[in-house]
Amino acid sequence: MRIEVTPITMSEEEAMKVARGGGNIIGKAMFGKKDITLQLWYLENREVIFNLDYQPAPLMRWLGKTGSKRPSQKIRMIVEGTRCTASYAGEPINTREIEIEDSEAIQKTTYSDEEIIQTAKRMAVRMVRRQIGQVPKAELYQMRSIYRPYYIAFYGELKMGTRVRYLPIPADGNRVERAL
C-alpha cells in the first residue's frame, strides 16, 4: 500500500530515551524498569484547506464602497484521525510517498469525512473570528490524507488478554500542543 507520510526525524535510540522517561516523573517511576517494545506506526491525519470569504465591514456596506471583489484567503488545518481534533498549519506540510507492506502498522481514522470537515471548519472560523472580529464563510477547497509516523512504546510483556501501558512518541518531530 502506498501512502503519503511526513519524514521521520527521530531515531529509535532517541525514542527509546523518551520512552525510558515514561513521559514524566510519575511515568518514569511506574514504567522505567519494565521491558519496552518500540513499534513504528503510521496514524492517519487529514489536511483540510478552506477558502474563507469575508463580508465587507458594515460601514463600508452602508457607504456603498463594497467593491466588486470580496476579500478572501485560504487557511490550512490539520485534523488528527484518532481524536478528530483540529489544529492550524501555517505552512505546507512536507510529505513523501512510501510503500508499506505491513497493514497492521497503519491506523486509519474512524471518523467520517463530514465530521472531519466540520471539526476543521469550526476551529478555522473560531480562530479567524478571534483575530479579525467577523465570521467568514468557509468553503472546502481541498482535503488529503497524510500519515504521521509514531513510535509506540509498549511497557511490559505483549500478551493477549493483559493490559499494557503505552506511550505514543511522534517520530516526525512535529508536536501538537493541546489547549485545556
Side-chain angles (χ1 to χ4, degrees):
M1 174 181 208
R2 294 193 70 74
I3 59 173
E4 275 190 71
V5 299
T6 56
I8 296 174
T9 59
M10 179 183 279
S11 67
E12 280 193 43
E13 292 80 25
E14 292 173 307
M16 188 58 85
K17 185 185 286 187
V18 172
R20 287 266 179 241
N24 57 25
I25 293 175
I26 296 169
K28 187 173 187 176
M30 290 174 61
F31 310 122
K33 303 292 184 214
K34 292 188 177 180
D35 293 333
I36 298 175
T37 306
L38 273 182
Q39 292 182 1
L40 182 63
W41 285 11
Y42 294 94
L43 281 66
E44 184 178 17
N45 290 276
R46 298 282 178 94
E47 178 186 43
V48 184
I49 301 174
F50 291 106
N51 190 22
L52 302 177
D53 291 324
Y54 299 99
Q55 291 287 336
L59 181 62
M60 296 306 245
R61 285 192 308 237
W62 185 70
L63 293 174
K65 296 183 180 181
T66 58
S68 61
K69 187 177 179 194
R70 294 172 57 175
S72 67
Q73 75 177 43
K74 292 190 177 26
I75 187 169
R76 179 179 287 109
M77 305 299 288
I78 301 296
V79 180
E80 190 175 292
T82 56
R83 294 179 298 168
C84 198
T85 56
S87 60
Y88 172 71
E91 297 178 8
I93 299 156
N94 297 328
T95 61
R96 60 188 177 99
E97 202 168 289
I98 63 168
E99 182 73 31
I100 299 289
E101 292 85 25
D102 185 14
S103 64
E104 290 183 8
I106 298 173
Q107 182 175 348
K108 292 190 172 277
T109 183
T110 57
Y111 296 95
S112 68
D113 288 347
E114 292 81 25
E115 289 176 298
I116 289 171
I117 291 169
Q118 286 304 315
T119 300
K121 185 184 286 187
R122 193 176 322 115
M123 180 61 85
V125 167
R126 181 184 305 155
M127 189 177 77
V128 170
R129 186 189 70 215
R130 287 180 182 167
Q131 296 294 319
I132 296 177
Q134 57 178 290
V135 179
K137 180 182 169 193
E139 294 179 2
L140 180 66
Y141 178 73
Q142 179 184 6
M143 182 169 69
R144 69 176 176 147
S145 290
I146 298 172
Y147 290 85
R148 286 187 63 199
Y150 280 85
Y151 287 112
I152 310 294
F154 294 101
Y155 297 93
E157 205 173 319
L158 295 174
K159 287 193 319 190
M160 185 64 104
T162 61
R163 187 172 180 175
V164 178
R165 305 281 185 200
Y166 67 94
L167 177 68
I169 304 164
D172 60 358
N174 298 324
R175 296 203 47 98
V176 176
E177 300 297 327
R178 296 184 199 150
L180 296 176

